[in-house]
Amino acid sequence: LKDLLAVRGGTLGPVEIETVVCAQDDRIAAAAAVPDARAGSNIIQIAIELQTRVLDAAQKNQMVQLITHRLAEDFGVQSRCFFFAPRQLPRTTSGKIRRYAVRALLKP
């Protein structure tokens, strides 16, 4: 329940968003969807863990455009993407991404 994302009076499950994000490119190892920490913001922040460190700015920009367009189309949400190197997102001992810790990493 605490992981639900409040967007324009409704709620979305982060797993739904993360599944769509990961399906957009084979180079995405994992994703975490968290709300923007700023008060009154309806933006969903997406932490993207890449499978490789070798990705140039143009490739990242193309990936961001694809992801933000897809999320706007499928869920009607605005999003902002942040990239992480392989195995850099905080995880539990069982390997699940710790969204609360990811949210703390993305604070402005």
Side-chain angles (χ1 to χ4, degrees):
L1 187 59
K2 65 182 177 180
D3 282 340
L4 290 179
L5 304 168
V7 180
R8 293 186 313 238
T11 57
L12 287 172
V15 174
E16 299 171 64
I17 293 172
E18 294 159 1
T19 301
V20 169
V21 169
C22 289
Q24 300 311 302
D25 198 296
D26 292 338
R27 296 170 291 190
I28 299 173
V34 297
D36 192 337
R38 293 177 287 188
S41 177
N42 283 324
I43 296 174
I44 303 296
Q45 297 185 115
I46 310 294
I48 300 169
E49 185 178 83
L50 299 172
Q51 291 184 5
T52 178
R53 292 179 186 265
V54 184
L55 216 61
D56 63 28
Q59 291 171 317
K60 286 181 181 178
N61 190 35
Q62 182 181 16
M63 198 180 288
V64 167
Q65 288 178 356
L66 181 64
I67 290 168
T68 56
H69 175 74
R70 177 60 55 157
L71 293 179
E73 192 175 272
D74 289 1
F75 301 105
V77 298
Q78 292 179 325
S79 58
R80 192 169 39 230
C81 298
F82 300 89
F83 291 97
F84 289 83
R87 293 186 279 285
Q88 293 302 305
L89 289 180
R91 287 185 161 73
T92 65
T93 55
S94 65
K96 295 178 186 174
I97 294 176
R98 295 174 43 219
R99 290 185 191 96
Y100 190 77
V102 169
R103 186 176 180 183
L105 287 175
L106 301 180
K107 279 190 177 180

